[in-house]
Amino acid sequence: MTIYANALDLIGDTPLVDVSSLSPKASVRILAKLEGQNPGGSVKDRVARAMVEEAEKDGTLSPGSVILEPSSGNTGIGLAMVCRVKGYRLKVVMPANVSEERRQLLGIWGAEIIDSPAAEGSNGAVRLAQRLVAEHPEYVFLYQYGNPANPGAHYEGTGPEIWRDCPEVTHFVAGLGTSGTLVGVGRFLKERNPAVEVWAIEPPAGELVDGLRNLDDGYIPPVFLDGGGPELLDRKTVIGPRDSIEWARRLLDVGIFAGISSGAAMAGAVRCARTVDQGVIVTVLPDGGWKYLSTGAWSGDLGEAAERARQTVYF
Amino acid sequence: MPVEVRLPTVLRAAAAGQASVKAQGATIGEVLGDLTSTYPEMAGQVLAPDGGLHRFVNVYVNDDDVRYLDKLDTKVGEDDVVSILPAVAGG
């Protein structure tokens, strides 16, 4: 057994598990990368550590620095863990309607939460964070949506891990939030094999963006545009809360307790499998199910659970 | 051939509050052209000055973003549902 010097060294090198028994076709394998195995509980641990260490290297961060970051949850939690270990203060700007567990976890790690309007979703959190940083130039703004260390963590970590474990990969399917995973892994895999198809899965914008005043309040993360996202993606498809929850429940059949966005990724992998005759689909399951217990996603009627999920930011 | 077009909240005012309208066309370009001629207030919000899609707008046929299909040339049929949505962030 390896003895790790520090819990942060546990970030990455997550397991890839064959979940092909859930594939609609015997000729199409589906492999799931379990990012919930990271020490802070999600794929965003990779991004949090990469952004902080990059900022330490270039001198943006120094002892006693205060970091401010917009996040619907997982990046905030990952940063809170990294900041706790490294001794930085953290303020997280978060939509008021994220799951209760996300708020609790941020508190446990010692981060301060600043609420942004629920009706404006993640876009509103980004806008409020940008305003606060303009008012407080002393805050360090790592800005996951525009920080090349975000896709960089996946280009240097997640992508090579997938290629090492499964060079037969034909399709890569992942959720689209900041686009860091898709841009970083997608670029790495296409450089190795240009025939690999990259599929982005997104939740329906639906009610969560009703607070937008006009479409100019829309938002495209700079890491997506700067990373060549529009050219990198082969398909972008919406998976709703009902399918997301159904597939989060079905993942239990293969021993995986994963979050709602993982259900969406799995549903996307299954949709992808239906369109091909044969292949090996790799998908990323961003986190475990623990943070979503209070949403009731696993209990009772699927339709009612989906309706509850519509009120919560889970991506 | 009429196609159902679902509108985001921010565009409904331009269509007398309707959440869903019918528009004619065999491609996304034709459907959006018909939509914006019926509801001219939407034109600047949905289409860019060069006639392409506005950058903060995503248009879907059923569940697929047309930018990764055939863009404005993406074909639509009577049973398809076209949805217009603002671009949003996650993370």
Side-chain angles (χ1 to χ4, degrees):
Chain A
M1 279 296 278
T2 308
I3 293 176
Y4 293 89
N6 182 313
L8 299 185
D9 290 344
L10 297 171
I11 294 172
D13 212 6
T14 49
L16 194 60
V17 179
D18 196 323
V19 295
S20 300
S21 61
L22 298 177
S23 173
K25 287 179 187 163
S27 55
V28 181
R29 290 175 74 199
I30 301 178
L31 307 178
K33 194 157 173 67
L34 305 190
E35 291 297 314
Q37 301 287 314
N38 283 300
S42 90
V43 65
K44 294 306 189 117
D45 289 1
R46 296 173 182 269
V47 174
R49 181 181 59 179
M51 292 195 303
V52 167
E53 292 184 348
E54 204 53 47
E56 285 173 333
K57 256 184 248 163
D58 69 19
T60 314
L61 267 176
S62 51
S65 288
V66 179
I67 296 172
L68 182 122
E69 183 68 19
S71 167
S72 55
N74 278 332
T75 303
I77 293 163
L79 274 174
M81 174 186 68
V82 172
C83 286
R84 177 74 175 248
V85 172
K86 288 177 174 280
Y88 303 114
R89 282 177 59 205
L90 175 67
K91 296 171 187 281
V92 176
V93 183
M94 206 161 73
N97 53 336
V98 304
S99 77
E100 181 55 30
E101 290 92 333
R102 292 187 179 193
R103 308 177 76 81
Q104 287 181 1
L105 275 163
L106 283 170
I108 286 166
W109 288 115
E112 179 192 332
I113 299 170
I114 300 169
D115 281 327
S116 61
E120 293 178 24
S122 295
N123 291 19
V126 173
R127 272 197 302 275
L128 178 57
Q130 286 169 330
R131 201 168 73 222
L132 290 171
V133 167
E135 289 165 9
H136 296 272
E138 72 275 18
Y139 292 165
V140 174
F141 193 35
L142 297 174
Y143 191 40
Q144 57 170 332
Y145 299 95
N147 191 324
N150 170 6
H154 296 292
Y155 182 80
E156 286 162 23
T158 324
E161 290 167 26
I162 290 170
W163 187 252
R164 176 198 68 200
D165 295 340
C166 182
E168 318 84 80
V169 57
T170 58
H171 294 74
F172 177 67
V173 178
L176 179 66
T178 67
S179 80
T181 309
L182 281 159
V183 166
V185 175
R187 186 155 63 89
F188 184 90
L189 293 180
K190 286 203 176 200
E191 282 172 5
R192 296 302 178 286
N193 177 7
V196 172
E197 277 198 29
V198 177
W199 282 43
I201 303 303
E202 43 176 15
E207 297 81 351
L208 294 173
V209 293
D210 283 355
L212 298 190
R213 288 176 299 279
N214 62 63
L215 290 174
D216 286 326
D217 284 342
Y219 182 76
I220 303 169
V223 291
F224 183 67
L225 297 176
D226 298 345
E231 295 75 38
L232 209 53
L233 299 192
D234 295 288
R235 188 92 172 239
K236 179 144 99 45
T237 191
V238 171
I239 300 278
R242 190 186 174 94
D243 285 342
S244 304
I245 290 174
E246 181 185 347
W247 283 95
R249 291 181 179 189
R250 293 183 71 169
L251 279 165
L252 295 172
D253 294 339
V254 292
I256 296 172
F257 176 49
I260 302 174
S261 68
S262 298
M266 189 60 205
V270 168
R271 188 175 290 178
C272 176
R274 292 202 179 101
T275 69
V276 295
D277 293 328
Q278 54 183 356
V280 181
I281 299 168
V282 172
T283 189
V284 167
L285 306 187
D287 63 6
W290 304 102
K291 288 194 294 285
Y292 309 93
L293 284 172
S294 71
T295 67
W298 290 271
S299 31
D301 178 73
L302 189 57
E304 288 169 17
E307 206 41 57
R308 286 192 295 270
R310 272 180 230 282
Q311 311 304 321
T312 310
V313 175
Y314 57 85
F315 241 66
Chain B
M1 189 166 47
V3 178
E4 181 185 352
V5 182
R6 293 190 184 155
L7 302 173
T9 315
V10 294
L11 289 183
R12 290 177 195 166
Q18 299 176 88
S20 169
V21 297
K22 294 277 184 192
Q24 300 282 338
T27 64
I28 284 295
E30 290 173 12
V31 167
L32 295 182
D34 185 49
L35 182 75
T36 51
S37 66
T38 311
Y39 307 105
E41 278 175 58
M42 277 186 212
Q45 294 233 58
V46 175
L47 296 172
D50 68 359
L53 280 178
H54 189 296
R55 66 189 300 240
F56 290 130
V57 168
N58 292 334
V59 176
Y60 300 82
V61 174
N62 304 322
D63 290 321
D64 281 309
D65 188 330
V66 302
R67 277 199 180 87
Y68 304 95
L69 299 173
D70 293 320
K71 302 190 170 67
L72 292 177
D73 295 330
T74 303
K75 294 204 168 15
V76 286
E78 209 167 349
D79 296 330
D80 290 323
V81 175
V82 174
S83 309
I84 301 174
L85 287 168
V88 291

